[in-house]
Amino acid sequence: SAIESSKVGSVVLTSVRGITEVKLERDIKSKQNFYEMQQKRSRRRLEDADQGDEDATEAIYFVNYTPNIFAGLLFFFFFVAITYVGLGCMDMIAGQDVYVSKYPTIGREV
C-alpha cells in the first residue's frame, strides 16, 4: 500500500467533512467577522470612552427570520385563517331537505 511504501515520506489522511461541521464552522466564522466589524466600526462614544472592560466580550445574537421571511409567514397564517373561516361559513349553507318532483301551484306555497 502507499502508506507503507519506502518511497513515500509522509502521508496525510483526509476525509470529507459532514455538512453539520461545515455549517458550524461557517457560523463561527461569520460570528467572528461580525464581531470584528463591530469592533472596527463603533459609533458609541460614551461606551468607547470607558476602556476598562476590554476582556469582557458581549454576546452576539442573530435573527433567524429576515423581514421578508417573517412577512411571508404572517401572510401564510392570515391566509389559512381566512380560508378556515370561509370554509366554515360555506359549510353552514343549508339546502332544502326534501326534494319533490312537482312543485305546488303558484299562490299555494304555504
Side-chain angles (χ1 to χ4, degrees), residues 38-55:
Q38 290 293 68
Q39 292 297 325
K40 290 179 185 176
R41 178 183 64 108
S42 180
R43 295 183 181 174
R44 295 184 169 191
R45 294 181 184 157
L46 291 176
E47 184 178 326
D48 289 341
D50 184 24
Q51 296 292 331
D53 56 348
E54 293 225 2
D55 46 338

Side-chain angles (χ1 to χ4, degrees), residues 4-86:
E4 299 169 354
S5 176
S6 62
K7 295 180 182 179
V8 176
S10 64
V11 176
V12 178
L13 298 176
T14 62
S15 66
V16 177
R17 296 189 310 173
I19 191 71
T20 55
E21 185 180 352
V22 172
K23 285 182 180 180
L24 181 64
E25 184 179 355
R26 285 181 188 164
D27 187 39
I28 291 172
K29 185 66 175 171
S30 67
K31 286 181 182 179
Q32 286 175 348
N33 288 341
F34 179 75
Y35 184 70
E36 289 172 3
M37 291 301 291
Q38 290 293 68
Q39 292 297 325
K40 290 179 185 176
R41 178 183 64 108
S42 180
R43 295 183 181 174
R44 295 184 169 191
R45 294 181 184 157
L46 291 176
E47 184 178 326
D48 289 341
D50 184 24
Q51 296 292 331
D53 56 348
E54 293 225 2
D55 46 338
T57 58
E58 297 179 10
I60 298 173
Y61 298 101
F62 288 96
V63 179
N64 291 331
Y65 297 107
T66 63
N68 290 337
I69 294 173
F70 188 66
L73 286 174
L74 284 178
F75 176 77
F76 173 74
F77 288 124
F78 178 73
F79 181 76
V80 167
I82 295 299
T83 304
Y84 181 74
V85 169

